[in-house]
């Protein structure tokens, strides 16, 4: 009872701090207490999230996501990251009782941990999945642990991501494969060097009218360059 009360107090403190930074969290959500929400975020109903959520990024309903998400990402409903791995070759069985000390089924035959069950896209920070900035993830996408989704990428609805996603590329399918890219290679290179999402908010607001025209936007940024 006391533990539950402490958790409730922590949650209310988190919610109050969040509102001052433009963060809104829907009903039935579960947010890890060590999570970092940068501000300007929306997390819709019944979503579970733990990790880091960059400024302006939002999560749709019924997501199950653990990892690092960059700034200005648009994530639809029922998107999930999938933790954990099983051996698929070499071992006689995929059952963890033969290689894991964790006792997932309540017992184990292993005398040592014989297989790495978790993969990390950023092992230093402990993130299983890393999603870049300005990423669009459509409804029902699944992302396997250990994957990195590059800046500016688009993942089509229902995709299963089991390999790293290139910046500004468009991926679709099961498994997800590259089917196109948003801009030509020179434009992508310029956007990655510019990293507009790292600019301060007054700069972004001032340039927002140009975001509907990639060439006009880049031309204006070139004129500003020292």
């Amino acid at each position: 009872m006391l533990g539950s009360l402490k958790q409730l107090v922590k949650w209310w403190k988190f919610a109050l701090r969040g509102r001052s930074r433009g963060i809104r969290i829907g009903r039935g959500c579960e947010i890890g207490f060590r999570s970092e929400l940068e501000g300007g975020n929306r997390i819709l109903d019944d979503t579970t999230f733990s990790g880091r959520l960059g400024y302006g990024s939002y999560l749709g309903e019924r997501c199950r996501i653990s990892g690092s998400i960059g700034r200005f990402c648009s994530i639809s409903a029922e998107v999930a990251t999938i933790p954990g791995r099983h051996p698929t070759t070499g071992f006689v069985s995929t059952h963890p009782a033969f290689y894991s000390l964790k006792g997932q089924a309540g017992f184990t035959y292993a005398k040592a941990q014989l297989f790495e069950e978790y993969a990390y896209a950023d092992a230093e920070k402990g993130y299983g999945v890393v999603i870049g900035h300005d990423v669009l993830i459509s409804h029902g996408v699944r992302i396997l642990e250990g994957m990195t989704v590059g800046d500016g990428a688009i993942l089509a609805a229902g995709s299963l991501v089991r390999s790293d996603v290139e910046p500004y590329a468009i991926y679709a399918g099961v498994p997800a494969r590259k089917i196109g890219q948003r801009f030509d290679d020179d434009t992508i290179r310029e956007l990655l060097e510019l990293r507009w999402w790292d600019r301060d908010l007054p700069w972004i607001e001032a340039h927002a009218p140009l975001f509907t025209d990639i060439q006009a936007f880049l031309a204006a940024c070139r004129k500003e360059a020292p």
Side-chain angles (χ1 to χ4, degrees):
M1 180 67 179
L2 183 59
S4 298
L5 181 59
K6 287 182 178 179
Q7 287 184 336
L8 183 61
V9 170
K10 286 182 180 179
W11 169 252
W12 277 112
K13 287 181 178 179
F14 178 86
L16 290 172
R17 288 197 305 270
R19 286 185 176 276
S20 69
R21 294 184 288 125
I23 297 170
R24 297 292 183 271
I25 297 173
R27 295 172 296 178
C29 292
E30 296 181 13
I31 311 298
F33 286 125
R34 295 184 180 179
S35 297
E36 300 177 31
L37 277 62
E38 196 171 11
N41 306 114
R42 296 291 185 275
I43 300 178
L44 300 188
D45 294 351
D46 300 316
T47 281
T48 298
F49 174 76
S50 64
R52 185 181 185 281
L53 188 62
Y55 187 88
S57 294
Y58 64 88
L59 310 179
E61 299 94 342
R62 299 177 300 282
C63 291
R64 299 290 181 269
I65 298 175
S66 177
S68 174
I69 301 174
R71 296 171 178 166
F72 295 97
C73 290
S74 306
I75 299 179
S76 187
E78 299 184 1
V79 171
T81 55
I82 303 176
R85 304 186 302 167
H86 295 257
T88 57
T89 60
F91 286 70
V92 173
S93 173
T94 60
H95 196 285
F98 298 99
Y99 57 78
S100 175
L101 296 175
K102 296 182 174 62
Q104 290 91 334
F107 67 95
T108 182
Y109 301 116
K111 304 301 181 184
Q113 187 71 27
L114 303 175
F115 179 78
E116 180 53 61
E117 298 176 79
Y118 298 97
Y120 295 95
D122 186 340
E124 182 179 348
K125 295 183 179 178
Y127 293 134
V129 171
V130 172
I131 297 169
H133 306 279
D134 189 29
V135 172
L136 171 60
I137 301 181
S138 303
H139 185 280
V141 169
R142 300 291 186 265
I143 305 173
L144 296 186
E145 193 175 64
M147 300 302 106
T148 295
V149 180
D151 299 327
I154 295 175
L155 303 179
S159 298
L160 173 63
V161 178
R162 64 178 194 181
S163 61
D164 289 346
V165 174
E166 299 173 17
Y168 287 95
I170 303 169
Y171 279 63
V174 179
R177 302 183 187 279
K178 184 179 178 181
I179 61 171
Q181 58 188 49
R182 292 176 58 189
F183 308 111
D184 61 71
D185 291 343
D186 289 338
T187 299
I188 291 173
R189 187 160 41 249
E190 193 167 0
L191 283 167
L192 292 174
E193 291 174 355
L194 178 64
R195 296 183 61 84
W196 62 262
W197 45 80
D198 285 340
R199 301 297 182 99
D200 59 38
L201 291 180
W203 186 95
I204 292 175
E205 184 175 359
H207 289 75
L210 297 173
F211 271 57
T212 58
D213 187 331
I214 182 65
Q215 296 306 326
F217 171 73
L218 290 177
C221 292
R222 293 185 198 113
K223 289 180 180 179
E224 296 173 0

